[in-house]
Amino acid sequence: MTGAFFLFSRNRLALVGGIVLCLVVLLVLAAPILPLTDPDVTNTANRYLPPLSEGALLGTDHLGRDLLSRLLWGTRLSLAVGFAAAAIAATIGAAIGVIAGFYGGRLDNVIMRGVDMLMAFPYILLALAIVAALGPGLLNALIAVAAVNVPFFARNIRGITVGLAHKEFVDAARLSGLSRPQIILTEILPNVLPVIVIAMSTTIGWMILETAGLSFLGLGSQPPQADLGSMLGEARAALISHPHTSVVPGVMILIIVMSINLLGDGIRDALDPRLKSGALSRPMAATRVRRQAPAPEPNLEGILTVEGLETEFHVGPRKLRAVGGVSLSVKPGECIGIIGESGSGKSVTALSVTGLVASPPGVITGGAVRYRGDDLIGAPYERLRAVRGREIAYIFQDPLATLHPLYRVGDQLVEAIKAHQKIGTEEARGKAVELLRDVRIPNPERRISDYPHEMSGGMRQRVGIAMALANDPEVIIADEPTTALDVTVQAQILSLLDDLRRSRDLAIIFITHDFGVVAQLCDRVAVMYAGKVVEEGPTKAVLAAPRHPYTARLIACVPELGGGRRRLEAIPGLPPAVDRLPEGCAFAERCNKARSACREGHIPLAQEGDRAVRCLFPEEAPAREAAE
Amino acid sequence: MGGYILRRLLSAVPVLLGITVIVFLIMALIPGDPATAILGSYATPENVARINRELGLDAPLWRQYLIWLGNMLQGDFGQSFALNRPVLDEVLERFGATLILAGTAFVLCSLLGVIAGTISAANQYGWADKAITFTVLLGISIPSFFLGMMMILLFAVRLRWFPVSGMWPIYGARDAAALISHLAMPAIALAVVATGVIARLSRSALLEVLRQDFIRTARAKGVHERSVIWRHALRAAMVSILPVLGIQAGFVLSGAVYIEIVFQWPGIGRMLVDAILRRDILLVQGGVIVVAACYVFFNIIVDVAQSLLDPRIRT
Ligand code: SF4
């Protein structure tokens, strides 16, 4: 009951559907006690009375019968037949599905083959064949409609039963000595029942339509008995001269089926957890921007500067602050590493630069991202698009997921080139081959017509790099580009990136969770924790003498620099959830130097020469005042 | 590729056999003396004897089936007693008209459905999405035969844009223009429901795809949002939309029965209904088998199209 309440409070259309359906059902249930004329009494003197005539609210039909009365009785019949067909199809289909799914093996095989055969028929054809064999009549039409829907139920329920048949509680029941029919009744059935009900609610409208359809064709209810379909069928002869006799039953079918569909959609939506979490939302072309304050004044130098960036995820009423005021900068020819655990906000920072954070739920709520002094946050879409790939290009992790699976890599490269350069396809193709050669892919003329799934992981990542280079960008943001690769390939890719940076004077922002990689490639490094930079400085200096306890622990986890993958999760404890950030230092929970002062209020990033650290009691540091 | 098509064609053989078995079994359901039931009011003693001989009705069921199947394989679907002509001739003649109608409706619903679903997904929760979602709901709730009747009232009777019914004008040339003006209303009425279903599924298929990593890559390349949606996302979504198109083709073929009745279209659906009402069982049987076989082949075409679309399933 509360479930139904939540459903309706969320979905007003489903509520409307439910109310209308209830009204219709109540009305037709009351038909026997309403002051209606007999639906079958003919009165040829009063043929085709228009609606609102005296004594006939909706008019009369070709035999002078009262349309309102016929409508209510016809609706009663149609609803009953529709529900009965759905119930029969569900019962038989579910029984077949449960047996096939539970017993499995040969029996399952034979049954499902049969079901597939039945589904190979165009739907109504099978119904027609059955009616042809049994002869026209409402009962036969009902049987036909139910029969053709059995395979649908059987297939659905079988799938679910197969899943259940191997669950622990079923095994337990088996061990306790229950027979198989007993297990089906006591363990399986209660679990598939909800699914059966949902499947029924989505097909019942369809079955009402189908039985009405058979009656419309004259194969269902036979005169004088009439359901909505046969009323419409009889009225068709007078469609042009007396349209109201057709409109009345037709509109009724529409109302019933529509309200059932609304209700069914509402039920389905209410049961789909993905809808609630917003996981079915489509990410927009650029991240939404809702800056709480004007952009900060520029005070960092570099071709790309990030200042006070704040990015949040708005999920329902919750606001998760993924990036909480990050500042960074990078100069041409420089490589800066951002290092942190998953969830530290390093990728979100990188994606925020050109508005690529999925939105919804992402929202940029503050800060500035300046490319050559120009703020990109809140820039119009066309400006962002001109920057993306042309000025600032990305290399992503796992190119099997980040390259389009259905286009040849050459076509994807050509597209990247033509997105920013007005050249012909042939010329772009030539350039694409060159790019593949630049990233040291052997046989580029041949590989260009490969699909991503035909390449090795290392080759795919080279394609990803080639794509990033396609328009000679100034800045490359590489988001864990080597994480999915094995150690040798990883080393090759890193040295390739290093060469490219030197030969093209590229600025690189390199995101990773691996200090080894940082040591190989990056001039400077920024360590992120819970959405904030906690330490920054030249790579060598930071590695030699980490100031933040977190950095020190990270480095301690890497016994040999550059020695492959090492997971940061080796540090005990977990980073705090970004919607429940503690007061003061976010690392306090896991820090063995934490004191009470650490948990009191904001701790600034203290600059000291070319290094910066966000800690009250940094490692091996000259004594400093705690306050300030 | 050629190998794939061949294997797919071979796999259709058991399905086709299954279809004949099912039709045969359904017909075996007919209560009472089959020959009399098949012949209905045409059951003269000579006809009954002939049917019994044709179908080998004194033999066991499986023998009967084999005889029946053998006859069909030789193109002998029996004789329609009501029309007094070979079943196959009548079926093929009628089926042409149905193919024109259902084919047009199928092209319409595929194009409109996919386009509407894509626009809807691209503008999720925007006014276009809401308008399309509501129209779709209306479209899948209205019985096509009722919609057809209302279209006749409005567009043929009131506005006089199209002829009321039929496939060809009673007088005048049987040219393309005449066909199109007769075809327009029934094809649209037939396409509406399938358009709605396809639009719905296309919308959710696109929403699914739009959250994937390669879409972000396309955006990061600076590809215009228009081609992100219509090239990248739609192409990937087509992989899950295509099978839906295959299924909807079956519904369009089914719905043609109603539309042919409403618009007096001389197709196989109308023939089937007439045949059922006249108890012309052999004609029903032949019609059902030909249409079902055609649908099986159509699904092979869909599968082949699918393998062209997705290089990962090509082997
Ligand atoms: S501020 Fe305190 S709790 Fe935080 S890292 Fe420094 S010492 Fe540890």
Side-chain angles (χ1 to χ4, degrees):
Chain A
M1 201 59 232
T2 48
F5 176 77
F6 276 117
L7 157 68
F8 289 142
S9 64
R10 199 169 18 246
N11 193 332
R12 254 175 298 158
L13 281 177
L15 178 66
V16 173
I19 292 178
V20 171
L21 190 63
C22 282
L23 282 180
V24 172
V25 170
L26 284 179
L27 205 61
V28 300
L29 282 181
I33 54 169
L34 291 178
L36 295 168
T37 31
D38 187 316
D40 295 334
V41 166
T42 56
N43 179 359
T44 31
N46 283 336
R47 302 171 69 212
Y48 293 125
L49 285 184
L52 301 179
S53 305
E54 198 174 337
L57 198 57
L58 291 179
T60 58
D61 71 356
H62 61 291
L63 296 176
R65 296 174 291 194
D66 179 39
L67 265 181
L68 177 63
S69 167
R70 286 183 73 71
L71 179 72
L72 291 187
W73 285 98
T75 306
R76 208 173 139 97
L77 196 57
S78 277
L79 282 177
V81 170
F83 275 89
I88 295 172
T91 312
I92 299 177
I96 294 176
V98 166
I99 290 172
F102 187 72
Y103 285 88
R106 278 276 283 287
L107 183 66
D108 183 26
N109 233 323
V110 170
I111 292 181
M112 291 324 286
R113 269 292 157 86
V115 165
D116 284 345
M117 298 286 170
L118 286 175
M119 287 183 122
F121 276 92
Y123 195 77
I124 203 185
L125 226 49
L126 199 53
L128 285 183
I130 295 173
V131 174
L134 300 179
L138 190 55
L139 189 63
N140 294 341
L142 191 160
I143 293 172
V145 170
V148 297
N149 277 291
V150 163
F152 165 78
F153 282 95
R155 181 177 280 190
N156 270 351
I157 302 300
R158 175 196 170 266
I160 292 171
T161 312
V162 166
L164 287 171
H166 301 289
K167 285 269 163 64
E168 306 79 27
F169 62 89
V170 175
D171 287 337
R174 227 176 250 137
L175 287 176
S176 73
L178 288 181
S179 71
R180 293 214 259 194
Q182 277 173 319
I183 296 176
I184 289 181
L185 281 180
T186 58
E187 306 295 332
I188 304 278
L189 206 56
N191 282 294
V192 294
L193 213 55
V195 186
I196 299 176
V197 171
I198 292 169
M200 259 181 79
S201 76
T202 52
T203 47
I204 214 164
W206 190 237
M207 299 211 204
I208 290 176
L209 263 183
E210 287 304 311
T211 42
L214 287 178
S215 289
F216 173 78
L217 296 177
L219 306 177
S221 73
Q222 303 294 319
Q225 185 193 42
D227 68 355
L228 292 173
S230 60
M231 282 178 74
L232 200 53
E234 284 175 19
R236 201 169 63 86
L239 170 66
I240 293 170
S241 54
H242 304 284
H244 73 274
T245 50
S246 301
V247 171
V248 167
V251 168
M252 186 52 125
I253 301 179
L254 176 61
I255 289 176
I256 293 173
V257 176
M258 192 153 166
S259 54
I260 290 179
N261 282 340
L262 277 173
L263 194 61
D265 289 355
I267 292 174
R268 204 194 47 212
D269 289 356
L271 295 173
D272 192 341
R274 291 182 304 174
L275 262 184
K276 264 181 263 175
S277 65
L280 283 185
S281 292
R282 144 225 202 306
M284 293 186 294
T287 312
R288 218 150 58 90
V289 175
R290 291 276 176 285
R291 273 198 285 217
Q292 313 294 333
E297 290 301 307
N299 57 20
L300 289 175
E301 273 176 35
I303 184 164
L304 179 69
T305 64
V306 175
E307 289 174 75
L309 178 72
E310 292 173 10
T311 305
E312 297 179 348
F313 292 108
H314 293 185
V315 182
R318 300 208 303 164
K319 289 188 178 176
L320 313 179
R321 171 164 284 210
V323 179
V326 164
S327 299
L328 294 167
S329 69
V330 62
K331 298 187 185 70
E334 185 186 40
C335 174
I336 175 166
I338 304 180
I339 190 165
E341 291 163 286
S342 45
S344 61
K346 55 190 194 310
S347 293
V348 180
T349 305
L351 292 174
S352 298
V353 169
T354 59
L356 286 175
V357 179
S359 175
V363 186
I364 295 176
T365 49
V369 171
R370 291 194 175 86
Y371 175 75
R372 292 186 188 280
D374 228 14
D375 193 358
L376 296 181
I377 303 285
Y381 170 72
E382 275 304 328
R383 167 80 183 125
L384 275 180
R385 192 180 77 77
V387 168
R388 288 174 180 177
R390 173 74 193 86
E391 315 283 350
I392 302 172
Y394 286 84
I395 304 170
F396 295 107
Q397 187 184 346
D398 185 15
L400 189 56
T402 53
L403 291 177
H404 198 296
L406 307 182
Y407 286 110
R408 297 175 196 276
V409 295
D411 294 339
Q412 303 194 41
L413 280 167
V414 166
E415 185 190 33
I417 294 166
K418 289 179 74 176
H420 297 290
Q421 301 174 35
K422 291 215 175 333
I423 57 171
T425 305
E426 272 319 300
E427 200 181 335
R429 197 159 268 285
K431 282 194 172 200
V433 173
E434 279 316 303
L435 283 167
L436 290 183
R437 189 166 288 129
D438 286 352
V439 295
R440 301 182 205 141
I441 290 182
N443 254 329
E445 296 85 357
R446 275 226 339 260
R447 300 320 290 267
I448 197 166
S449 24
D450 278 0
Y451 288 97
H453 72 276
E454 294 171 331
M455 304 182 112
S456 70
M459 286 299 141
R460 270 198 297 268
Q461 192 51 283
R462 284 166 201 263
V463 171
I465 295 173
M467 202 133 79
L469 296 173
N471 295 294
D472 253 314
E474 306 293 325
V475 182
I476 282 196
I477 300 180
D479 190 354
E480 309 228 25
T482 59
T483 308
L485 305 175
D486 70 55
V487 184
T488 2
V489 184
Q490 177 176 344
Q492 291 169 4
I493 297 282
L494 287 180
S495 81
L496 171 65
L497 275 175
D498 203 36
D499 289 354
L500 291 170
R501 147 163 91 113
R502 288 175 210 288
S503 60
R504 301 190 179 207
D505 214 22
L506 279 172
I508 297 184
I509 297 179
F510 196 96
I511 292 154
T512 179
H513 59 258
D514 187 343
F515 247 118
V517 171
V518 169
Q520 254 180 56
L521 193 66
C522 301
D523 308 303
R524 284 189 303 129
V525 61
V527 182
M528 281 191 72
Y529 189 81
K532 289 200 168 88
V533 174
V534 294
E535 173 156 18
E536 204 202 326
T539 310
K540 283 206 182 71
V542 172
L543 276 173
R547 303 286 310 280
H548 197 281
Y550 178 63
T551 319
R553 295 265 282 281
L554 280 187
I555 294 171
C557 291
V558 187
E560 234 176 293
L561 289 185
R565 278 195 260 171
R566 236 156 295 268
R567 290 266 154 203
L568 290 186
E569 281 72 13
I571 301 176
L574 288 170
V578 276
D579 60 333
R580 274 177 280 117
L581 285 184
E583 278 273 300
C585 179
F587 189 58
E589 280 305 310
R590 299 161 82 188
C591 178
N592 46 22
K593 297 172 70 185
R595 303 182 207 167
S596 58
C598 300
R599 305 182 199 263
E600 287 163 12
H602 175 72
I603 300 168
L605 189 68
Q607 196 76 33
E608 224 178 274
D610 55 0
R611 305 212 26 196
V613 65
R614 194 189 295 274
C615 176
L616 296 179
F617 312 103
E619 311 266 351
E620 289 163 39
R624 280 194 302 148
E625 288 307 316
E628 188 205 15
Chain B
M1 200 67 231
Y4 179 80
I5 297 179
L6 196 68
R7 252 176 300 139
R8 200 57 198 77
L9 279 173
L10 281 179
S11 74
V13 172
V15 179
L16 289 172
L17 281 180
I19 284 174
T20 58
V21 171
I22 291 171
V23 171
F24 179 78
L25 287 179
I26 290 176
M27 293 310 155
L29 280 179
I30 300 175
D33 171 22
T36 317
I38 286 175
L39 292 169
S41 47
Y42 300 85
T44 60
E46 308 90 78
N47 281 338
V48 171
R50 200 169 114 214
I51 275 283
N52 277 334
R53 198 175 55 246
E54 266 178 18
L55 300 180
L57 281 173
D58 33 2
L61 209 56
W62 64 270
R63 276 283 305 277
Q64 290 181 31
Y65 169 72
L66 287 183
I67 295 169
W68 176 74
L69 186 66
N71 286 343
M72 273 198 314
L73 287 179
Q74 293 164 21
D76 178 11
F77 282 67
Q79 193 82 8
S80 159
F81 288 91
L83 303 173
N84 202 12
R85 68 183 292 205
V87 164
L88 195 60
D89 293 1
E90 173 74 8
V91 166
L92 291 182
E93 192 182 303
R94 295 296 203 110
F95 198 39
T98 296
L99 275 186
I100 293 177
L101 173 62
T104 311
F106 179 70
V107 171
L108 273 181
C109 71
S110 304
L111 286 178
L112 290 178
V114 170
I115 291 173
T118 308
I119 292 175
S120 202
N123 300 290
Q124 194 190 15
Y125 303 135
W127 67 265
D129 183 25
K130 286 186 178 136
I132 289 174
T133 306
F134 184 75
T135 315
V136 160
L137 180 73
L138 203 65
I140 59 176
S141 302
I142 196 164
S144 60
F145 39 92
F146 179 56
L147 177 67
M149 288 162 70
M150 294 300 107
M151 285 174 75
I152 290 177
L153 273 185
L154 180 60
F155 297 114
V157 177
R158 182 71 48 89
L159 296 174
R160 296 182 180 283
W161 288 354
F162 301 107
V164 173
S165 65
M167 185 168 173
W168 299 108
I170 300 167
Y171 313 104
R174 295 193 162 196
D175 54 8
L179 180 60
I180 290 173
S181 73
H182 281 80
L183 183 60
M185 276 202 305
I188 292 172
L190 180 53
V192 163
V193 178
T195 306
V197 177
I198 293 168
R200 263 191 173 196
L201 283 150
S202 303
R203 177 178 183 272
S204 56
L206 250 108
L207 287 178
E208 198 73 38
V209 165
L210 276 167
R211 301 199 316 274
Q212 302 207 348
D213 284 348
F214 59 81
I215 295 299
R216 190 186 59 196
T217 308
R219 286 179 176 152
K221 286 199 287 194
V223 172
H224 200 281
E225 187 66 9
R226 216 179 310 120
S227 44
V228 169
I229 302 278
W230 293 96
R231 252 175 71 85
H232 289 253
L234 185 55
R235 171 84 181 250
M238 276 316 283
V239 171
S240 42
I241 295 175
L242 253 187
V244 174
L245 295 188
I247 294 170
Q248 285 308 309
F251 283 99
V252 168
L253 216 45
S254 297
V257 175
Y258 302 124
I259 296 299
E260 285 174 8
I261 296 279
V262 172
F263 290 93
Q264 315 264 319
W265 192 264
I268 203 160
R270 231 177 100 203
M271 179 203 86
L272 283 173
V273 174
D274 289 346
I276 292 172
L277 291 173
R278 282 198 299 249
R279 314 284 293 140
D280 193 349
I281 298 297
L282 288 179
L283 192 56
V284 178
Q285 186 175 281
V288 168
I289 285 179
V290 167
V291 177
C294 170
Y295 178 56
V296 169
F297 281 110
F298 181 81
N299 270 308
I300 296 178
I301 296 176
V302 170
D303 282 356
V304 171
Q306 180 87 340
S307 76
L308 287 176
L309 186 73
D310 189 346
R312 290 167 301 182
I313 58 173
R314 227 179 286 157
T315 40

